[in-house]
Amino acid sequence: MLETKTERIVTPARNILGSLRIPGDKSISHRYALLSALAGGTTKLTNFSTGADCASSLGCADALGATVTRRENGAIEITGTGGSFKYSTSPLDCGNSGSTMRMLTGLLAATPNTYTLIGDESLSRRPMERIRKPIYQMGAEISLTDGHAPITVSGGKLKAIDYTTPVPSAQVKTAILFAGLQAEGSTTVRESVRTRDHGELALRAFGAHVDRSTDSTSIAGGQPLQAIEAAVPGDISSAAFFLCAAALFPGSNLVFDSLGLNPTRATLLDVLTALGAHIGVLNLEEKNGELVGTVQVNAPANGLKGTTICGALSAQLIDELPVLAAIAPYTQNGIRIRDAKELRVKESDRIALVANNLRKMGAQVEEFEDGLDVPGGQKLHGAEINSGGDHRIAMAFSVAALKATGDTMIQGAESAAISFPEFYDLLNQVAER
């Protein structure tokens, strides 16, 4: 976690106007960084995520023998190891990044060395058995600490498996595919709900052949990876906070350039459209398998309606649910969230924190084990918000604060830097006060 604790006051806004270029997608940046470390040649990346989480993936790549170079223009070059990771006597520090820890475990599973993966206090509370079980079945020795990090990985010769994930998780799926790339035979991952497919697309971009059906993904072992040149699309999960903010103010007009519009991630646009927001998508193109485009959002004149988010939709929107819940009081009919129990084991218990902070701002909200009911037609007032050290909670309630009466203080606002260091600067740039 970041050592300097900061509080930030967010004042109400009159409107949201302007254009933004959002930093690179976290999910894609993680996967490009880790695959670059394994690949042969030098990968050149622009618009790589500026978040601390993705810096953890770069740090681990460097510790494993890849050469990571940051250019003055912000570009990052990674010269890979060609499949032969260096032995690291020091623990590999994953910081606050569950993505780094879980996916790196899969990548290290075939390496005939023993590595220890550590994280900060928050990451050390997150469940890791879901990654231990499949990787162990493939032939690696994985030791946890009471089901959590630190993780010890003793790699070796891997055999392919056919595995059904008990909890829909793109991180777990990607970790198994990363291990499967280095296993004997063809590894298949099956999932009941289709999760984001950045791992599959990244593997293809680096030259691997990946087969996909409606509910499964397969990869043959023994395929070499080659370096790429790529611009990382803007992160739609980071854009979510601004999309929701613009949707609150009649007369708003916000444009996003080069935004990632992967169909497994762009569900938020469908939900905002269902709520009544006007969303336009322009200049859609494909880059390294990822869809990228320009997005324009305007708020409806009569305010947002309401909706229910449940089932597969909850899994697809898992990162965006906190900000949708935070703006729910301002909708006409409220937002109901179910089948989102996974929110309780993220960087914080996001269900509990969202409910508590909404109540602090004067909202009625009903909390359930797997979700929330937030009635619409409510007025919120400024309050002292507890982010719980969770970047998405800090940013979600900064958005709620824009339409509240009076100022709101966000405690632990520094946590936004985990994924989005520029967040508050960009918020002040587009918020008319």
Side-chain angles (χ1 to χ4, degrees):
M1 292 291 288
L2 304 173
E3 293 182 2
T4 306
K5 301 293 183 185
T6 58
E7 297 173 339
R8 188 177 285 265
I9 293 175
V10 180
T11 57
R14 291 185 295 110
N15 204 359
I16 302 291
L17 294 169
S19 63
L20 294 173
R21 184 177 286 269
I22 300 293
D25 186 282
K26 271 179 58 185
S27 295
I28 298 172
S29 294
H30 278 303
R31 287 157 175 81
Y32 282 1
L34 295 176
L35 291 178
S36 297
L38 188 68
T42 299
T43 291
K44 299 178 180 180
L45 304 172
T46 56
N47 200 41
F48 190 86
S49 168
T50 53
D53 272 2
C54 292
S56 293
S57 284
L58 289 175
C60 289
D62 181 72
L64 290 168
T67 302
V68 179
T69 306
R70 296 176 182 271
R71 299 298 179 191
E72 287 184 6
N73 62 358
I76 290 177
E77 295 182 3
I78 305 166
T79 301
T81 61
S84 301
F85 287 139
K86 184 179 77 175
Y87 175 62
S88 176
T89 53
S90 301
L92 298 168
D93 189 356
C94 301
N96 186 247
S97 175
S99 293
T100 304
M101 181 168 282
R102 291 183 178 127
M103 293 190 293
L104 188 57
T105 297
L107 211 57
L108 292 173
T111 304
N113 291 313
T114 297
Y115 299 91
T116 300
L117 283 65
I118 61 172
D120 66 10
E121 184 181 349
S122 168
L123 180 54
S124 299
R125 293 193 301 267
R126 296 178 68 182
M128 293 296 158
E129 174 62 23
R130 59 185 60 176
I131 193 63
R132 188 202 68 80
K133 185 178 178 183
I135 301 301
Y136 175 77
Q137 287 181 16
M138 297 180 81
E141 291 292 330
I142 310 285
S143 300
L144 305 181
T145 308
D146 296 325
H148 306 93
I151 300 177
T152 301
V153 183
S154 297
K157 190 173 181 180
L158 302 181
K159 62 179 185 296
I161 59 171
D162 190 314
Y163 189 79
T164 300
T165 55
V167 178
S169 168
Q171 292 175 9
V172 173
K173 175 178 64 174
T174 301
I176 298 168
L177 293 174
F178 281 6
L181 178 71
Q182 305 166 84
E184 186 177 326
S186 181
T187 294
T188 298
V189 184
R190 303 181 190 277
E191 47 188 4
S192 58
V193 175
R194 187 184 178 195
T195 58
R196 56 184 65 175
D197 62 358
H198 299 301
E200 298 95 300
L201 295 177
L203 282 162
R204 285 177 175 171
F206 279 84
H209 180 74
V210 181
D211 288 316
R212 268 197 327 203
S213 68
T214 306
D215 62 351
S216 71
T217 306
S218 300
I219 189 166
Q223 302 185 69
L225 301 181
Q226 293 301 321
I228 63 170
E229 290 191 22
V232 181
D235 193 320
I236 195 165
S237 293
S238 295
F241 302 99
F242 296 94
L243 287 161
C244 288
L248 291 177
F249 293 88
S252 65
N253 184 23
L254 197 56
V255 176
F256 301 85
D257 293 319
S258 300
L259 193 63
L261 294 172
N262 182 303
T264 63
R265 293 284 300 286
T267 309
L268 176 66
L269 301 183
D270 299 329
V271 171
L272 288 173
T273 300
L275 286 168
H278 306 296
I279 307 284
V281 177
L282 313 166
N283 308 322
L284 195 63
E285 55 185 324
E286 186 179 305
K287 296 181 178 178
N288 291 301
E290 296 283 357
L291 289 178
V292 184
T294 300
V295 174
Q296 181 177 29
V297 58
N298 308 102
N302 299 321
L304 298 173
K305 294 178 285 191
T307 193
T308 295
I309 300 169
C310 60
L313 202 57
S314 295
Q316 292 167 355
L317 283 168
I318 201 71
D319 286 340
E320 291 78 35
L321 291 177
V323 68
L324 286 167
I327 67 167
Y330 301 123
T331 65
Q332 294 172 27
N333 303 314
I335 294 178
R336 179 176 178 268
I337 297 169
R338 290 293 186 279
D339 305 314
K341 193 174 180 180
E342 185 72 5
L343 285 175
R344 293 201 181 271
V345 293
K346 289 289 189 178
E347 285 84 333
S348 67
D349 182 340
R350 287 178 174 166
I351 292 175
L353 273 177
V354 166
N356 291 341
N357 285 322
L358 280 173
R359 291 182 185 121
K360 286 181 181 179
M361 298 182 78
Q364 291 184 345
V365 55
E366 191 171 358
E367 180 180 345
F368 297 87
E369 183 61 23
D370 68 339
L372 300 159
D373 280 359
V374 187
Q378 303 191 67
K379 293 183 179 179
L380 303 187
H381 57 72
E384 201 167 285
I385 296 300
N386 173 22
S387 72
D390 188 323
H391 54 125
R392 295 202 188 279
I393 299 297
M395 293 187 282
F397 281 89
S398 298
V399 172
L402 296 175
K403 207 168 172 66
T405 303
D407 294 348
T408 296
M409 178 178 285
I410 309 291
Q411 295 178 330
E414 80 287 341
S415 60
I418 289 293
S419 64
F420 197 173
E422 305 87 348
F423 172 73
Y424 286 106
D425 289 340
L426 294 181
L427 193 66
N428 287 332
Q429 179 182 315
V430 298
E432 275 196 343
R433 292 186 166 102

